[in-house]
Amino acid sequence: MPENAGYMIAAYIVAAVVYLIYGGSLITRGLRALRRDGEG
Amino acid sequence: MKPTISSSRGIMKWGIAITVLGLVAMAGVYLLALGYTPLEARQGAAQKIFYVHVPAAWSAMVAFTLVGLVSILYLWLRDERLDAFAASSAEVGLVFSVIMLTTGPIWGKPIWGTWWTWDARLTLTLILFLLFVGYMTLRSAVHDPAERARFAAVLGIMGMVLVPFIHLSVYLFRTLHPMPIVLKPSSPSLPPEMLRTLLLGFLATTVLYVGFVVLRYGLARYAMARLDEES
């Protein structure tokens, strides 16, 4: 493993988790709103 | 113009599509950063944190600048759509700031030997983050929509004023933070593999910013339209 790889992995995981949690929650809320009013 | 459910639905659909595109682009940045960019000789793998940290910082600054500009327009035009956009951009800016303020110290620990130092760039960035936490808190504390929008607009403009100082802080003060390597008067000083990956990072976080804001704005308009319909 290259030097300081643990720090890089930690930073990449933090960023991915934040993007996925925030993006995922927005997408879920959007899809729920779209479904609530139907496609018509 | 009053928001309608059908126009909000269109905005949300666009927001979902752009957000998914942004997440895919970000996955591409991860792959390039891990498999394509060379290992930097002195910093080792910690240097690769730069491909997630710098683009997140860029999008945070874009988000807060747009909050300020749109807030000026709101105070002039008093259009509630501008207030909804400013609130969306502030929230998304905070998300990018969280990434900037966590990945930065993770890089700082192996390179500077400390998680945090009170230098000008870091301190000003933290103040900007706290100012927008205050902005969101203010929004949830004031119930009258017009009053909330007016107060928030003033705070949003004050936040925007900090952004150029943060960018120029590395020139204005003695600071540990690295100097700009792309957004500077001379041409970027990076090997091509690193530069391409960084530019894709900028593109990915910009697309993510647009997707997040469009979707968040669509949700706000949808909530307003439903409220109007029910009353």
Side-chain angles (χ1 to χ4, degrees):
Chain A
M1 210 123 87
E3 194 190 357
N4 296 327
Y7 291 99
M8 178 197 74
I9 293 166
Y12 278 31
I13 289 174
V14 167
V17 166
V18 173
Y19 285 134
L20 289 174
I21 288 180
Y22 185 70
S25 86
L26 281 183
I27 290 172
T28 307
R29 285 167 61 195
L31 289 175
R32 204 177 290 150
L34 289 173
R35 215 172 291 138
R36 191 184 302 162
D37 290 291
E39 275 301 314
Chain B
M1 200 171 80
K2 286 280 174 200
T4 62
I5 285 186
S6 77
S7 70
S8 315
R9 287 169 58 85
I11 295 170
M12 285 190 291
K13 282 179 185 170
W14 272 108
I16 291 170
I18 300 169
T19 298
V20 171
L21 186 69
L23 290 172
V24 170
M26 187 48 73
V29 173
Y30 272 48
L31 290 176
L32 282 184
L34 294 171
Y36 173 64
T37 58
L39 207 57
E40 209 263 348
R42 278 177 301 171
Q43 298 188 14
Q47 182 275 330
K48 294 187 187 230
I49 294 172
F50 158 91
Y51 304 113
V52 290
H53 172 78
V54 179
W58 152 258
S59 283
M61 296 306 147
V62 168
F64 294 143
T65 303
L66 286 176
V67 173
L69 293 176
V70 170
S71 296
I72 292 171
L73 283 178
Y74 172 80
L75 291 179
W76 181 27
L77 302 169
R78 303 291 164 134
D79 185 330
E80 64 181 10
R81 288 174 298 180
L82 294 168
D83 176 54
F85 178 88
S88 307
S89 189
E91 184 180 297
V92 174
L94 280 174
V95 171
F96 284 111
S97 299
V98 165
I99 294 174
M100 165 179 63
L101 286 170
T102 46
T103 56
I106 294 173
W107 174 85
K109 181 63 182 165
I111 305 305
W112 291 341
T114 179
W115 297 103
W116 185 266
T117 173
W118 294 101
D119 97 344
R121 168 67 74 92
L122 276 68
T123 307
L124 285 174
T125 309
L126 183 65
I127 290 171
L128 183 70
F129 172 75
L130 293 175
L131 197 143
F132 277 96
V133 170
Y135 175 98
M136 298 308 290
T137 311
L138 174 78
R139 293 196 71 91
S140 59
V142 181
H143 293 291
D144 178 61
E147 206 166 60
R148 176 176 60 220
R150 205 171 70 247
F151 291 170
V154 173
L155 199 52
I157 294 165
M158 289 167 73
M160 176 184 70
V161 171
L162 263 181
V163 172
F165 284 101
I166 290 174
H167 182 68
L168 296 174
S169 57
V170 287
Y171 299 109
L172 296 172
F173 307 100
R174 264 166 175 263
T175 162
L176 273 176
H177 195 280
M179 303 294 267
I181 44 168
V182 176
L183 297 173
K184 59 175 187 167
S186 55
S187 57
S189 43
L190 271 180
E193 299 92 341
M194 290 183 173
L195 184 61
R196 281 186 209 121
T197 308
L198 183 65
L199 292 178
L200 182 69
F202 282 130
L203 181 69
T205 58
T206 304
V207 173
L208 265 183
Y209 168 75
V210 173
F212 286 165
V213 167
V214 169
L215 186 46
R216 179 67 187 73
Y217 173 77
L219 283 163
R221 281 181 64 96
Y222 176 79
M224 282 193 269
R226 281 198 78 89
L227 216 63
D228 274 353
E229 214 171 60
E230 282 163 17
S231 60

